[in-house]
Amino acid sequence: MITTEEIKRRLWDGANELRGSMDASRYKDYMLGLMFYKFLSDKTLATYKSISGSPAETEAELIAEYQKNYEIAGDGLTNVLQTNMGYYVLPEFLYQQWLLDISSGEFEVSKVTDSLNHFERTIVVQEGADDFKGLFSGSTLDLSNTALGSSLNERNRNIKALILLFADLNMVALQKGDVLGDAYEYLIGKFAMESGAKAGEFYTPKQVSEVMAQIVSRSQNITSIYDPTVGSGSLLLNVKKHLSRSNQRDLEYYGQEKNTATYNLTRMNLLLHGVKPDKMTIRNGDTLSKDWPEDPSKPNQGILFDAVVMNPPYSAKNWNREELKVSDPRFETAGVLPPDSKGDYAFLLHGLYHLGTEGTMAIVLPHGVLFRGGTEGDIRERLLNKNYIDTVIGLPSNLFTNTGIPVCIIILKKNRPLSAPVLLIDASKEFIKVGKQNELQEKDIAKITDTYVSRETISGYSYLASREDIIENEYNLNLPRYVETMESEIPQDVEAHLHGGVPKANLEALIHLNQVAKESLSQYIKPLRPGYITVIGTKDEVLDSIKNSPLILEQQADLTQKVTTYLGKWWDTLIELSDIDEIRTVREKMLVEIKELLADYPQVDAYLGYQIISDCWFNHLQKDTELIAASKFHELGRKREARMVSKGSAKNKRQEQDGWTGVLVPNELIKEHLYQEENKQITELNHVLQKIESSLAELVEAAKVEDSQEEASLLEALNEKQDAFQLAKVKALIKEEVKGSESYELLHQVQSHLIKKASTTKKIKATETELNDTIEQRILTLTDEEIDQLVKAKWFNGVEEKMTQLLVTPLNNEIDILFSLEERYSETLEDLDKQLLEMESSLNSLLEELEVL
């Protein structure tokens, strides 16, 4: 089975190799469009096989049978296919036919164009044509575009290579577990990163989308969802992933997109994720023109949805080209039109108008909507007075590829009591740097959603703002007005500087030390005077005392045992997975459970433990569980696959086999755990080699004698290009030197080292080759116990240690703070006066000496 990770890597590598200089935002239309056509072809064949009861065992047999029955039944067969799927692809226009043409050398781009056009003509006259109409329109997939190649032959070659990328992928089989859909979403995201400023047209960063989806999906009984600026459809699909299977089955998807190419991308994306045509209504249109969608049973009234999500263009200028009036029902709530120069509230009000009474809306907007005045201030005041704004979440800057500005997510609801407070979350400092972009980690997303659910005030992170708070701030929702900024620098204490000692208030502010190590710490704290203390002993002594205190040792033993039990429980679940659709649920439960387990330890940040387990999933578990779900665990542990390497020049690259590698158990892990002696021998030989190379380097340095003709020739023989010494030249020079001379002795030493180096290198290579060959055969005979040992090491190596480290890390940090304060106030005013007197005395002595002279 091919995993999501492997598909992603292969397709993206192929995209980079094939697109040449074409802009990523444009190339994505070709790649994703042809990938989707492969899905339509595979789906047609799978549906034909199902309805016909075909006994065909191979794809070639199935295609031949489909062709034969089509020639007999004609429209009768295609009508059945149309009824079952809402579309079909005729035998002569199947993607598989393109592959046959490539194989026979008869491929032409015109055949692809004919196939796409025929699909379009077929669906235009069918009921439900809107679901597929225009998917492969010329403006989106112009195969005559010179960016694909300056000549017909070059375009033929490039399109052919692109078609071959998907040749062996069964798109229908890959729909299970959303493997295909996830790979498609991944490609959209990668193209977005490459597209830069153009990415905003079609993509919302995954972590932002995830926050919105986790919050919106908490609404009860979601049966319909709407994205008025749908882009690629990722927001709709992310909400779907967080719903139960029954809710997913009944979910109605609505979306609107102005850009035609992106509109096509949306429909393809939804269909690839298994959304049935009769469950999706996507429109190619401008959200800020005439209202859509309208309720067919209630003229001039908009359809209301259980959930609304959107990431609209930020601060769109001249948005009101249709000259809409405040009487438009979408703007009646606000009582005023948003300013023509900024369309942020126009989008928000459109989404809010279509939100059902019990529904939840999430929208991403720039921070300016929280505090700008004028008509935007009036709209914000009206929304707050009606208490439609439920939560504001401030996010870090530079999350998006098309803008570096910080953004916020606003959550809106229509059924909030007027007395209900507004939750304000400042998550702007919760991120990591990945390349040029900032990214939220899994722990950051979990913390945001947990705070949304608990609706609590957390110092420096969140605040529940009452109506009185908001009125006092004149309806300004700028987050720093409500969420205090945590000062990283402890304020200076004047008295402590004057008379020494650490303020007792600073000691009491060290929460974790006072919670779990107060007794151990107290023996190192000495009262100095009322309100001030001093620390006795060294930092290492204090640290050792606290780490070895009964409570901390008891906590470490307890946590280690609990984490071991936790990993053992989930190990049993993971290795017995048999359904790929279960993986997401298992992952979510595993993450929730570790967070609950760590909540029993007051000094531990449970979200750091959450991230440790999340990293396990990212590094290995996601890929391996997909493999396990399609096979039996221990059988999989004894499987191997060819290890392929690239050979040849950049223009003529080819893949060749270079041995075998374990499918589930990595070769390196087998070497590390089962062949320790052999591995040790190779390590020791490499140390010997390093010493030889170090000695050679010293000899080269010794030969660098200025104005010495002999040494100059020696250096030439040694060939200073990185260790590429020339033994033959060294031997030739030895014959020319006088025995016993310095040059002769130096050359002999070099010769000896070069011979040793060659011998050692040869031995290392032979030993490694023999060991690698042994390991490649060993994969096939691993015992169940060995597989368990190796895979546990692969998945969970160091997890217990990392978790127990979470107990002492915050204590270490607070001890660092305590000793930095001790150092800060160690020098008092009296000490400074003494130093000043000493300096004055020294200066006077020097002046007296000068007078004598």
Side-chain angles (χ1 to χ4, degrees), residues 74 83 147 158 168 222 270 290 330 374 437 455 466 498 518 551 564 571 576 599 602 606 733 802-803:
T83 302
N158 289 337
D168 63 333
I222 295 178
L270 265 62
K290 188 176 183 296
R330 292 172 289 178
Q437 301 298 130
R455 303 193 75 77
S466 66
L498 291 173
K518 192 168 186 176
L551 177 58
T564 302
W571 166 264
E576 291 170 8
L733 278 175
K802 289 175 185 175
M803 291 293 182

Side-chain angles (χ1 to χ4, degrees), residues 189-343:
K190 294 293 283 185
F191 280 124
M193 284 192 285
E194 294 286 316
S195 299
K198 297 178 182 178
E201 298 175 6
F202 60 89
Y203 189 68
T204 302
K206 185 177 180 182
Q207 64 267 26
V208 178
S209 176
E210 186 67 17
V211 172
M212 298 169 76
Q214 288 194 26
I215 288 174
V216 166
S217 63
R218 293 179 181 276
S219 292
Q220 299 296 314
N221 303 317
I222 295 178
T223 60
S224 61
I225 182 169
Y226 174 44
D227 185 343
T229 56
V230 74
S232 66
S234 62
L235 282 172
L236 296 176
L237 291 165
N238 248 359
V239 174
K240 170 205 169 190
K241 288 178 183 177
H242 290 282
L243 301 178
S244 67
R245 289 193 186 182
S246 60
N247 279 355
Q248 288 184 25
R249 204 163 36 245
D250 299 331
L251 191 61
E252 301 276 352
Y253 302 80
Y254 280 74
Q256 185 164 206
E257 175 55 48
K258 187 176 180 179
N259 182 289
T260 301
T262 307
Y263 158 69
N264 291 335
L265 182 62
T266 307
R267 294 183 291 161
M268 293 179 194
N269 199 10
L270 265 62
L271 289 163
L272 283 176
H273 277 86
V275 178
K276 294 181 178 178
D278 62 337
K279 292 294 184 181
M280 52 186 265
T281 306
I282 310 298
R283 177 175 180 258
N284 188 194
D286 185 352
T287 300
L288 298 183
S289 61
K290 188 176 183 296
D291 184 38
W292 182 89
E294 289 187 347
D295 189 333
S297 64
K298 299 174 184 176
N300 300 318
Q301 288 191 36
I303 297 177
L304 300 182
F305 298 94
D306 299 323
V308 176
V309 287
M310 60 195 305
N311 173 26
Y314 301 149
S315 303
K317 293 180 172 59
N318 304 316
W319 65 268
N320 195 7
R321 294 185 180 88
E322 300 290 323
E323 297 186 356
L324 301 172
K325 306 297 182 186
V326 73
S327 56
D328 185 303
R330 292 172 289 178
F331 306 121
E332 284 180 344
T333 295
V336 63
L337 282 177
D340 197 44
S341 60
K342 291 182 177 67

Side-chain angles (χ1 to χ4, degrees), residues 525-559:
I525 301 300
K526 178 183 176 183
L528 196 61
R529 62 181 182 282
Y532 293 84
I533 58 96
T534 187
V535 185
I536 55 177
T538 67
K539 185 192 290 187
D540 288 340
E541 288 173 344
V542 177
L543 273 173
D544 288 342
S545 175
I546 288 173
K547 285 180 181 178
N548 292 303
S549 66
L551 177 58
I552 296 301
L553 291 174
E554 182 185 333
Q555 280 189 335
Q556 287 180 324
D558 183 58
L559 181 56

Side-chain angles (χ1 to χ4, degrees), residues 41 53 121 281 299 321 329 415 452 479 505 559 567 592 705 799:
S41 297
R121 288 197 304 274
T281 306
R321 294 185 180 88
N415 63 344
Y452 170 80
L479 292 172
L559 181 56
L567 293 176
V592 168
V705 180
V799 167

